[in-house]
Amino acid sequence: MDSRELIPAIGVFALVSALGFDEGGYAATAWGWSSVALLAVLAVLIGRGAARPTGAAMVFVGGFAGLLVWTAASLVWTSHVTATVLEVERTALYLAAAALFVLAGSATALLGGTLAAASVICAYGLGRWLLGEPEIPLSADPLSGERLSEPIGYANGVAILAAMGLLLAVGFAARASQPANAAAAAATVPLLAATLYFTFGRGAWLALGVGLAAAVALGPRRLQLAATAGALAVPAALAVLASHALEPGGGIAATVVLLGFVSAGTAFLLRTRRLVVPPAVRKGFAVGIVAVPAVAAAAVLIRLGGPEGVYDAFAAAPAPVHGEERVFSVSGSNRADYWRVAWGTYEDAPRLGDGAGTFARNWLGARPVPQPVEDAHTLYLETLAELGPIGLALLAIALAAPFAGRRDPVALAPYVAFLAHAAQDWVWELPAVTVAALACGAAMLVPASGRRVPRAAAVLPALLCLAAALAFAGNRALAESVAAADRIDYAAAADSASTARTLQPWSGEPWRLLGEAQLAAGSVQEARRSFERGLDRDPADWELWLDLGLASDGPAQRRAWIHAQSLNPLSPELQELGLRRR
C-alpha cells in the first residue's frame, strides 16, 4: 500500500471502527454523525474536482440515490412517518458511503481498511470475552445463552463481520502483491475464527461458505485461492477447537496468538515457495472442491428428513439451545413468523408497500408470538413489504452493480457473504457491517475514470450534510431525554424532549417522552395534554395510548387501553394492567 492509498485506508478503518464501537451504528445518533462526516468529505472532494466513477460505479451510487428518493417518497403513503424519516436518514448514510468509496478509495485501501477494522473490533470483543467478564451474558436473547456480542451489541452482527474479515484475510493471503502483506493478513485468521465461534452465529457460518464458494466459482485462479483457503483453514480450525476445549481465559488467548504466527508463516511460505503440482492432483483437487460440499449438503438433508424436514425444523417453535449446540440447530428462531407477517404486509399493499420502517408496527398488530422484533430478519422481503416492487428493484440495482466490475475474489467473497447474511438477518440496520460491505462492493468498481465530476455537484452533498446535521440534533435530543429519564432527572428529560419536539415537529415521539417526564414528576394534566398532542401526530402509536391511559382514569382510561390493545394485542404491559383492573 503506497502513500496515496494510506489516507483512504485510514479513513475506512476509522469509519467502520467508530461505528462498530458505537454499538454497530444501530442508534440514529450514530448514523447521524457518520452521515455528516461522510457528506462533508464528499462535498469537499467533488468541489476539488474528483474523478468521475465508471459506468458500473455510477449504477452503484445511482441505485442508492434512487432508493433514498423512493424511501423519502414513501412519506406520502406511510403508516408510520417517524420510522420512515429514520429510514431516510440511514439510507442517506449508505448513499454517502457508496459515493465516497467509489470516488476516494482504491481497492487495496478499501479492503485493507475494512480488514483492519474488522480485526480490531473482533480483537476487542474476543479479549473482553476471554479476559474480561465472560460470566455476564453478552446477548439479550434469552434463548441464545451467552454469546460474544461486544462491541457491536448483537452477536450475529459480530459474527458476520468476523466472517467477512476471514474472507478478506484469505483473499489477501492469496492475492497480496507482497508476501509480507499476505502474511500480515493471514495472521488475523485464528483471531477472526475464534471470534466467530464464540458468537455461535449459524447464519454467519453459512454466509462464510457462500462467500468462499462464490469467490472460487467466479474469480480467477480459483484453485490457488482454494488451496490458500485450505491451508489457512488448519490454524483456523485449531483456534476453534481450542475455543471449544479450553475454558475461556488466557489459555485460549495465548493459543490464538500462537496460531496467528503459524497462519502468517503458512501464508508467507505459500507466496515465496513455488510448488509444482501434477495435473492429476490439480484435477482431483478441483473435483474435491465441488464434491465435498455437495456430499456434505446431501448428508445434512438426509439426516433432517429432506427439504420438508428442514422446513419443519426451521419453522418449529424455537427450543432453548446454548453454545455450540445452537450452531447445529436448524430452528429459524421465529423467522418463519416474521417472514409471514412481512409477506402479509406486502399482500395488503402490493404496489407501493406500507412505507419504509413500518414492519415493527405491523408486527405488533399481527404477531402470532409475543417475541418483540423491529425487523423482518430479511432485507429483501422487508424491503418488498415496506417499499414495494420498485423499492426492491432499486435495492437490487444498487447491490448488484459491483458484480459488473472486476471479479476480484478479495472483495467478492466478503461482499457475497454479506448479501447472503442479509437475506436471513437484520444486519442492514447495523451500519458498521453494511458500510464494511459497501467498501467491499465499491472495491470491485474502482478506480474511477479520468474525467471529473462537475464541481457544481458538490451542492447536493452539502445540502444533505446540512439536513443530516439537523436530523442528528433532533435524534440526539431524543437520546438525551431518554438518558435523563433513566437517571431520574425528569426536568432534564422534559427539556431535551422539548428541544426534540421543535426539531421533529412531525413526530409523536418527543411528545411521548415529554409526557412521560411530566407524568413521573407528578404533572398529570400536562402529561395528558402532551400524550394527546403526540397522538394528533401519530394516532397508531400504541405506547402513546398506553401512556394516555396511565394519565387518565375511569372510562377514558379504559378507552385508551382498549385502543392500545387493538394496536398491540399481545402486549405484556397491557396484560399486566388488565390483571390489575380486575
Side-chain angles (χ1 to χ4, degrees):
M1 185 180 298
D2 59 34
S3 57
R4 291 174 300 176
E5 297 174 325
L6 186 59
I7 292 178
I10 292 174
V12 173
F13 166 76
L15 175 62
V16 176
S17 297
L19 286 169
F21 282 97
D22 194 357
E23 297 182 341
Y26 180 73
T29 51
W31 67 67
W33 64 254
S34 54
S35 292
V36 170
L38 290 180
L39 289 165
V41 174
L42 189 60
V44 171
L45 278 179
I46 295 176
R48 296 179 61 181
R52 179 177 297 181
T54 59
M58 290 291 288
V59 173
F60 183 56
V61 176
F64 278 106
L67 182 63
L68 174 63
V69 171
W70 187 249
T71 301
S74 72
L75 285 166
V76 175
W77 64 83
T78 184
S79 61
H80 192 181
V81 171
T82 300
T84 301
V85 170
L86 290 174
E87 291 297 322
V88 171
E89 294 170 12
R90 183 168 49 217
T91 306
L93 166 61
Y94 296 156
L95 169 61
L100 187 59
F101 291 158
V102 299
L103 287 179
S106 71
T108 303
L110 292 170
L111 299 174
T114 303
L115 174 58
S119 300
V120 168
I121 290 170
C122 290
Y124 174 86
L126 184 63
R128 178 172 176 178
W129 179 266
L130 296 177
L131 306 176
E133 300 174 338
E135 73 279 0
I136 299 177
L138 297 181
S139 173
D141 183 356
L143 299 180
S144 298
E146 295 184 0
R147 301 174 61 191
L148 192 161
S149 61
E150 296 299 328
I152 287 177
Y154 181 53
N156 289 350
V158 178
I160 185 57
L161 192 63
M164 292 168 63
L166 276 169
L167 293 169
L168 282 167
V170 170
F172 272 117
R175 300 296 161 83
S177 58
Q178 299 296 326
N181 294 337
T188 66
V189 166
L191 160 69
L192 296 166
T195 302
L196 177 55
Y197 170 79
F198 279 119
T199 65
F200 305 117
R202 298 163 294 176
W205 284 106
L206 178 61
L208 176 69
V210 171
L212 183 59
V216 172
L218 301 177
R221 298 164 57 198
R222 59 195 64 182
L223 293 184
Q224 184 259 357
L225 176 65
T228 302
L232 295 182
V234 176
L238 291 175
V240 170
L241 290 173
S243 300
H244 171 74
L246 301 177
E247 290 293 325
I252 297 178
T255 302
V256 168
V257 171
L258 177 62
L259 289 171
F261 286 105
V262 174
S263 185
T266 301
F268 189 83
L269 290 174
L270 287 174
R271 298 302 304 277
T272 56
R273 297 290 185 271
R274 183 176 180 82
L275 301 178
V276 179
V277 181
V281 175
R282 291 174 59 88
K283 185 177 295 185
F285 182 65
V287 171
I289 291 174
V290 177
V292 171
V295 171
V300 171
L301 280 175
I302 293 172
R303 181 178 178 82
L304 294 174
E308 185 176 352
V310 173
Y311 175 79
D312 291 340
F314 178 83
V321 288
H322 306 280
E324 59 273 7
E325 295 179 4
R326 187 180 188 280
V327 178
F328 297 102
S329 170
V330 188
S331 170
S333 301
N334 291 321
R335 279 172 172 77
D337 294 319
Y338 309 156
W339 298 350
R340 276 193 290 268
V341 170
W343 182 255
T345 300
Y346 165 67
E347 289 182 322
D348 291 338
R351 295 183 179 179
L352 300 177
D354 195 44
T358 56
F359 173 81
R361 185 166 288 181
N362 290 330
W363 168 256
L364 290 179
R367 57 180 172 171
V369 293
Q371 180 86 7
V373 295
E374 297 290 327
D375 306 284
H377 286 62
T378 168
L379 169 62
Y380 314 113
L381 180 55
E382 183 173 328
T383 301
L384 179 65
E386 295 181 348
L387 294 175
I390 294 177
L392 181 60
L394 290 169
L395 176 69
I397 290 170
L399 296 181
F403 294 101
R406 297 178 299 113
R407 300 291 177 86
D408 178 7
V410 185
L412 178 65
Y415 186 66
V416 170
F418 169 81
L419 297 182
H421 200 267
Q424 45 85 38
D425 217 323
W426 52 270
V427 290
W428 179 261
E429 279 76 21
L430 291 171
V433 178
T434 302
V435 168
L438 295 180
C440 295
M444 293 189 279
L445 299 171
V446 294
S449 65
R451 302 175 65 185
R452 297 291 174 180
V453 178
R455 295 178 187 273
V459 173
L460 181 58
L463 292 175
L464 288 175
C465 182
L466 177 59
L470 292 173
F472 172 71
N475 292 326
R476 182 175 178 82
L478 285 176
E480 289 174 346
S481 179
V482 173
D486 288 342
R487 62 175 185 269
I488 320 180
D489 187 351
Y490 298 119
D495 288 342
S496 295
S498 296
T499 301
R501 180 184 60 186
T502 302
L503 293 169
Q504 299 182 349
W506 60 84
S507 177
E509 184 75 4
W511 288 102
R512 182 178 67 82
L513 295 176
L514 176 60
E516 289 176 353
Q518 292 166 337
L519 186 62
S523 302
V524 179
Q525 292 184 353
E526 292 182 3
R528 185 162 56 246
R529 284 195 293 269
S530 293
F531 297 141
E532 290 170 347
R533 295 289 296 276
L535 287 168
D536 289 340
R537 289 156 176 77
D538 191 359
D541 187 339
W542 78 274
E543 289 182 288
L544 275 169
W545 285 107
L546 170 64
D547 287 340
L548 180 61
L550 293 173
S552 306
D553 52 26
Q557 181 183 77
R558 181 168 180 78
R559 285 195 300 270
W561 283 344
I562 289 176
H563 202 123
Q565 191 172 41
S566 70
L567 297 169
N568 186 6
L570 298 184
S571 165
E573 297 88 349
L574 290 167
Q575 291 175 8
E576 183 179 355
L577 289 169
L579 290 174
R580 289 178 180 174
R581 288 198 302 273
R582 294 190 184 94

